[in-house]
Amino acid sequence: MLEAEEKAELIKVLNMHFIEGLTQSQIAKAFHVSNTIISRKINKARDYNLIDYFFKDETSFTVNLERLLEKQYKLNEVIIVPTLGKDFDMVEYEISKAAVYYLLNNLKTVHLIGLTWGKALWRFTKELPFQEHNHLCIVPLCGGIGSSGLEIHSNAVVFEMAQHFSCEYLQLYAPAITRSFELKQQLSKMSVISTILDKGSNVDLAVVGIGDMTPSGTLRKLGYLKETELLYLKKVGAVGDIGCMYYDRDGNEIDSDFNKKVVGVSLNTLRQIPNVVGIAYGIQKKEAVLGALRGNYINTLVIDSELASLLHTEG
């Protein structure tokens, strides 16, 4: 029996071949694989009778929307998890599984993986299979020391992934947010920290969460962002954050004292990473994801169908 993630991928290939009229060679180029692999996928879809009914399946709707969003925002790939009739926990689980499936199929040319932090990243790493990938090294993209929510800090999710993959990992022994810009500068000059930040700037692939501006957002909920700071960031146009770095609706980094105190890879550096995979779910993330897309911080997006529909309508 096909896993849901593999079925969705096969239907995407069928859609590109039979609906969009792309050749197997063109599809192979889009997936960064050989023609032979695409041929095998089409044959596998035929073996499972997917060709006969994929037009009627809910997955075919999400595949069409994926292709629209890929073209609309010039993304490498969009993966959409259907949400109809599912509660939040199930959506969260299926989003994580979809992100894991994508990662496992894109590890061949990857050596350095960077992770930010947050609940989405924590759930994602928990769903990773226990497989040996000892050619990998996992790196935190922002600081990971604090007194609250320790399990979702960057160092914790990096360790979790390394445990699942039996591979090397690095730790960033600095807080994500310092007390002052001066302290951030001092810490960043320390070789034990600057070395990790340099590694983070040169990862082959990054997996990031996308924070929103709601009072229940992780930074605010854990007390790392004061209510007055949240209100100020909203006032100056912030719509979301990646790795604690806030940006506006057009994707421009917010010029604020808060951003200047963050120990981590900058948003500008994030743009230079070959493949940044963003994980987001829930309609409250709409403005944050739109800003991230407009800022070109994301290359690959894993989201739920409700959020995807909003992005297509308002992008």
Side-chain angles (χ1 to χ4, degrees):
M1 185 175 178
L2 288 174
E3 292 286 337
E5 295 80 19
E6 185 178 11
K7 178 183 174 185
E9 183 182 59
L10 292 178
I11 288 179
K12 191 168 200 171
V13 170
L14 294 179
N15 187 83
M16 294 169 76
H17 188 50
F18 292 107
I19 303 300
E20 298 181 35
L22 299 183
T23 65
Q24 291 187 24
S25 179
Q26 289 171 318
I27 299 170
K29 187 176 180 181
F31 277 91
H32 305 289
V33 297
S34 67
N35 291 10
T36 303
I37 289 177
I38 296 302
S39 178
R40 287 174 183 166
K41 288 183 183 296
I42 292 174
N43 288 334
K44 189 170 187 177
R46 185 176 288 111
D47 292 341
Y48 279 89
N49 297 317
L50 290 182
I51 293 176
D52 295 332
Y53 73 82
F54 85 91
F55 296 101
K56 301 176 184 178
D57 190 79
E58 183 187 12
T59 311
S60 65
F61 166 76
T62 60
V63 165
N64 288 330
L65 188 52
E66 285 170 354
R67 294 294 289 159
L68 288 170
L69 290 175
E70 286 165 5
K71 294 173 183 176
Q72 185 174 352
Y73 294 104
K74 297 179 174 60
L75 295 168
N76 291 345
E77 188 163 354
V78 175
I79 300 163
I80 299 172
V81 171
T83 55
L84 185 64
K86 298 171 185 173
D87 61 24
F88 184 80
D89 287 341
M90 180 56 69
V91 171
E92 193 174 47
Y93 166 74
E94 292 190 3
I95 288 275
S96 300
K97 293 287 285 185
V100 167
Y101 184 81
Y102 174 83
L103 179 69
L104 294 177
N105 281 296
N106 288 273
L107 286 180
K108 189 173 290 186
T109 59
V110 170
H111 298 285
L112 274 177
I113 296 178
L115 302 179
T116 55
W117 76 302
K119 189 179 179 185
L121 269 289
W122 174 75
R123 281 301 304 263
F124 160 71
T125 56
K126 287 292 183 183
E127 297 305 329
L128 291 167
F130 285 93
Q131 296 179 353
E132 190 169 303
H133 295 284
N134 52 25
H135 69 290
L136 294 175
C137 181
I138 319 301
V139 186
L141 298 181
C142 57
I145 293 177
S147 57
S148 303
L150 299 181
E151 72 280 0
I152 66 174
H153 284 195
S154 60
N155 284 334
V157 295
V158 161
F159 177 76
E160 188 73 29
M161 178 177 278
Q163 290 294 101
H164 281 257
F165 283 170
S166 299
C167 66
E168 293 183 4
Y169 66 97
L170 301 173
Q171 299 276 265
L172 182 52
Y173 295 111
I177 303 137
T178 60
R179 291 191 304 273
S180 66
F181 174 60
E182 291 72 26
L183 178 57
K184 178 261 184 80
Q185 284 185 308
Q186 291 172 13
L187 290 173
S188 298
K189 289 177 182 177
M190 297 173 62
S191 60
V192 68
I193 292 174
S194 63
T195 299
I196 306 302
L197 292 176
D198 184 59
K199 283 279 189 182
S201 300
N202 290 282
V203 298
D204 304 303
L205 180 148
V207 184
V208 305
I210 302 172
D212 58 62
M213 302 302 294
T214 59
S216 60
T218 305
L219 278 169
R220 178 73 190 101
K221 193 174 181 180
L222 295 181
Y224 296 118
L225 182 69
K226 298 175 183 176
E227 184 177 359
T228 52
E229 291 174 317
L230 177 63
L231 292 173
Y232 174 77
L233 286 166
K234 285 183 177 180
K235 184 178 179 180
V236 296
V239 296
D241 80 281
I242 296 176
C244 306
M245 300 290 289
Y246 283 90
Y247 50 84
D248 65 21
R249 67 184 306 277
D250 296 316
N252 301 309
E253 182 178 338
I254 295 293
D255 183 14
S256 71
D257 290 340
F258 187 88
N259 275 9
K260 292 174 183 176
K261 295 186 293 184
V262 174
V263 178
V265 170
S266 70
L267 290 175
N268 188 50
T269 299
L270 194 68
R271 285 195 186 103
Q272 313 308 316
I273 294 173
N275 189 7
V276 179
V277 182
I279 302 175
Y281 38 88
I283 58 175
Q284 77 281 0
K285 298 277 186 180
K286 182 191 75 174
E287 294 300 328
V289 175
L290 280 172
L293 293 173
R294 290 167 181 155
N296 297 314
Y297 302 130
I298 304 294
N299 309 103
T300 301
L301 189 60
V302 186
I303 52 174
D304 65 90
S305 55
E306 285 186 279
L307 179 55
S309 295
L310 290 176
L311 295 179
H312 178 53
T313 302
E314 303 203 20

